[in-house]
């Protein structure tokens, strides 16, 4: 899986109208009712919902308030409502992602979940990661469950959920993990886009060689 430009599914300004319409329907509001709440013309709201647009300023803030949500949520960013709490979307469709789509989505994120076996049983831990040279790389602190991954067959998962649009995707990787060599670790230290969120003691690089990659996407018809 070569490192490519990040794929950014469903998170751009043009989706604001879809999020507005989805949240409006969730609240049971007509366009006219929402326009009245937000103090805007119904015709503008209709245009916003049906055409790519990237509104900003006080108007978007009023619209978010009228929809009982946040500007960040309408833009598809954090903070968002807790995932899975909203009602399912109308006419949902679930489809498998192809290999290239899985690679793009893996490269687009920086936090995933590593599943490993320990003496106490299986555990799943979130980790910062990057994709380099067809491998998934993450740092691990010695003595922690992720650091026991080398030599094991492990699972690694990354996902994204858009609560406003009731859609999302997930990618699952399984394969054997190993410790990075000194040369590999030095290169990864240079290439890492960010410091590990759990602190600077995550000083052991672990690599996962993917043997099976699969993904699914939930979207609305």
């Amino acid at each position: 899986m070569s490192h490519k430009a990040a794929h950014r599914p469903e998170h751009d300004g043009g989706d604001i109208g879809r999020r507005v319409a989805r949240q409006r329907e969730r609240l049971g509001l007509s366009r006219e009712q929402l326009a009245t709440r937000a103090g805007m013309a119904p015709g503008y709201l209709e245009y916003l919902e049906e055409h790519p647009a990237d509104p900003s300023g006080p108007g978007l803030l009023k619209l978010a308030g009228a929809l009982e949500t946040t500007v960040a949520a309408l833009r598809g960013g954090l903070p968002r409502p807790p995932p899975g709490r909203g009602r399912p979307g109308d006419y949902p469709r679930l489809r498998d992602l192809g290999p290239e789509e899985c690679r793009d989505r893996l490269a687009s994120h920086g936090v995933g979940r590593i599943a490993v076996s320990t003496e106490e049983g299986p555990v799943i831990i979130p980790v910062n990661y990057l994709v380099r040279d067809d491998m998934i790389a993450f740092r691990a602190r010695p003595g922690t469950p992720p650091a026991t991954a080398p030599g094991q067959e492990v699972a690694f998962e990354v996902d994204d959920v858009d609560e406003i649009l009731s859609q999302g995707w997930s990618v699952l990787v399984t394969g054997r993990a190993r410790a990075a060599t000194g040369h590999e670790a030095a290169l990864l230290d240079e290439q890492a886009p960010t410091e590990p969120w759990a602190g600077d003691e995550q000083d052991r690089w672990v690599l996962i060689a993917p043997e099976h990659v699969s993904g699914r996407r939930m979207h609305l018809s």
Side-chain angles (χ1 to χ4, degrees), residues 16-215:
I16 289 179
R18 295 171 60 203
R19 293 190 176 92
V20 167
R22 187 78 187 116
Q23 183 66 359
R24 175 176 62 77
E25 292 167 0
R26 179 176 286 123
L27 294 176
L29 299 174
S30 67
R31 280 179 178 164
E32 289 73 17
Q33 288 171 323
L34 177 57
T36 300
R37 277 192 179 192
M40 62 176 53
Y44 175 73
L45 180 59
E46 179 181 1
Y47 179 88
L48 177 63
E49 289 189 358
E50 297 183 357
H51 298 81
D54 189 12
S56 59
L60 185 59
L61 185 60
K62 289 181 180 179
L63 189 57
L67 287 168
E68 302 176 13
T69 185
T70 66
V71 170
L74 291 180
R75 289 191 175 280
L78 295 176
R80 292 185 286 188
R85 296 286 182 88
R87 75 174 181 85
D90 297 325
Y91 308 110
R93 296 180 61 189
L94 184 65
R95 72 171 180 87
D96 293 334
L97 298 175
E100 195 69 17
E101 292 177 296
C102 289
R103 295 185 184 105
D104 286 347
R105 282 165 168 76
L106 280 169
S108 74
H109 277 44
V111 176
R113 299 170 183 83
I114 178 71
V116 298
S117 297
T118 70
E119 293 181 355
E120 290 76 28
V123 297
I124 301 175
I125 305 290
V127 293
N128 292 100
Y129 78 97
L130 64 157
V131 179
R132 290 294 184 274
D133 298 328
D134 296 334
M135 290 191 175
I136 294 168
F138 64 92
R139 293 185 181 100
R141 180 184 302 162
T144 62
T148 68
Q152 290 192 47
E153 289 286 336
V154 302
F156 183 85
E157 191 265 357
V158 61
D159 57 57
D160 186 82
V161 176
D162 189 320
E163 182 71 9
I164 296 295
L165 292 183
S166 300
Q167 62 188 20
W169 56 264
S170 65
V171 173
L172 177 65
V173 176
T174 56
R176 182 163 291 275
R178 66 172 177 84
T181 66
H183 177 66
E184 289 171 329
L187 290 177
L188 289 167
D189 283 336
E190 295 177 358
Q191 296 171 347
T194 183
E195 293 298 317
W197 289 5
D200 59 6
E201 297 180 7
Q202 317 291 311
D203 56 2
R204 181 180 188 181
W205 280 101
V206 179
L207 303 175
I208 303 172
E211 297 173 4
H212 181 71
V213 181
S214 62

